[in-house]
Amino acid sequence: GAGVSQSPSNKVTEKGKDVELRCDPISGHTALYWYRQRLGQGLEFLIYFQGNSAPDKSGLPSDRFSAERTGESVSTLTIQRTQQEDSAVYLCASRLTSGTPTYEQYFGPGTRLTVT
Amino acid sequence: AQSVSQHNHHVILSEAASLELGCNYSYGGTVNLFWYVQYPGQHLQLLLKYFSGDPLVKGIKGFEAEFIKSKFSFNLRKPSVQWSDTAEYFCAVTLAGNMLTFGGGTRLMVKP
């Protein structure tokens, strides 16, 4: 079946511009996560959506970052007034929460963001 | 807050050598443990996972990991590596399905 998809795959933007990144989770996966991977570093958690519950925003690095999710499907991550330190690969993951819990997250290919 | 440490940032091995990548985590409660792998140009994919039961878990491609609770460790092993194992390996921890906390990753290069 289809996996997690993300778009665009690459985004180059000028410092100060806003960007929007999209994630389509696996159908039926109610949990959705955003992570960031800066060059040479591990993945950092950004935000977590679970069904209709309030999202866990504890990983967002600043108020320039926000994310939304439409029901249990598409999510968008928005970065306002981008800075060079925002350059990273942004990864989305989804997880099935019904049935026997496995806690396995399935990752998308990521969006490589470069801020010039 | 929980944290995950991977002690080896870069590892270079020859084919057929044995592999062990270290992973230690800081949380003292009940955790779920994972190893993810990222092959060049590909997505992150799950290599193996531990939830409960037998502390020695087996994953894909001949990998295994052992959970040692007393040492807060979850080291990854493979008896004989292949060139195709060249990749970046990430250890990760989650508490009951919340976000994953990742280690910094280990880049493995296997020389043919």
Side-chain angles (χ1 to χ4, degrees):
Chain A
V4 177
S5 61
Q6 293 185 244
S7 61
S9 54
N10 280 284
K11 176 72 176 179
V12 180
T13 191
E14 292 180 354
K15 179 180 171 182
K17 301 280 190 184
D18 297 352
V19 295
E20 192 172 276
L21 313 179
R22 177 187 169 109
C23 171
D24 283 89
I26 293 172
S27 177
H29 283 197
T30 57
L32 186 148
Y33 306 78
W34 284 97
Y35 295 88
R36 175 173 73 175
Q37 185 177 21
R38 288 190 276 196
L39 188 65
Q41 300 184 26
L43 283 78
E44 306 168 70
F45 165 73
L46 297 177
I47 188 168
Y48 162 43
F49 295 90
Q50 169 55 51
N52 295 318
S53 302
D56 176 353
K57 303 179 182 180
S58 60
L60 294 178
S62 79
D63 58 8
R64 296 186 296 103
F65 287 71
S66 62
E68 293 184 349
R69 188 178 185 192
T70 308
E72 293 184 349
S73 61
V74 171
S75 176
T76 54
L77 176 70
T78 301
I79 308 173
Q80 296 178 308
R81 305 180 304 281
T82 52
Q83 303 295 311
Q84 288 185 330
E85 62 262 28
D86 299 334
S87 296
V89 176
Y90 289 82
L91 290 161
C92 177
S94 70
R95 179 173 68 87
L96 182 66
T97 58
S98 60
T100 304
T102 66
Y103 305 124
E104 178 179 350
Q105 296 182 21
Y106 292 82
F107 284 82
T111 293
R112 182 175 299 277
L113 175 66
T114 304
V115 181
T116 62
Chain B
Q2 66 213 47
S3 66
V4 179
S5 298
Q6 292 181 241
H7 314 297
N8 316 99
H9 299 293
H10 290 90
V11 173
I12 301 174
L13 294 172
S14 297
E15 276 194 314
S18 64
L19 170 72
E20 181 159 2
L21 301 182
C23 173
N24 287 89
Y25 64 95
S26 64
Y27 187 70
T30 301
V31 295
N32 301 301
L33 299 154
F34 303 81
W35 276 96
Y36 279 85
V37 60
Q38 189 168 28
Y39 297 103
Q42 296 188 26
H43 304 190
L44 264 176
Q45 57 185 280
L46 184 69
L47 203 53
L48 48 78
K49 59 192 176 190
Y50 172 80
F51 296 145
S52 63
D54 189 344
L56 184 63
V57 293
K58 295 191 183 298
I60 60 172
K61 303 186 180 184
F63 286 90
E64 64 179 31
E66 184 175 12
F67 170 52
I68 303 179
K69 190 174 182 179
S70 61
K71 295 184 178 180
F72 298 94
S73 71
F74 190 56
N75 292 355
L76 181 71
R77 300 194 293 247
K78 184 170 183 178
S80 176
V81 294
Q82 300 173 311
W83 175 78
S84 58
D85 294 324
T86 294
E88 189 159 16
Y89 294 81
F90 294 93
C91 181
V93 167
T94 184
L95 303 176
N98 290 327
M99 73 286 193
L100 287 166
T101 299
F102 284 86
T106 298
R107 288 186 180 273
L108 171 67
M109 178 183 293
V110 180
K111 297 185 293 184

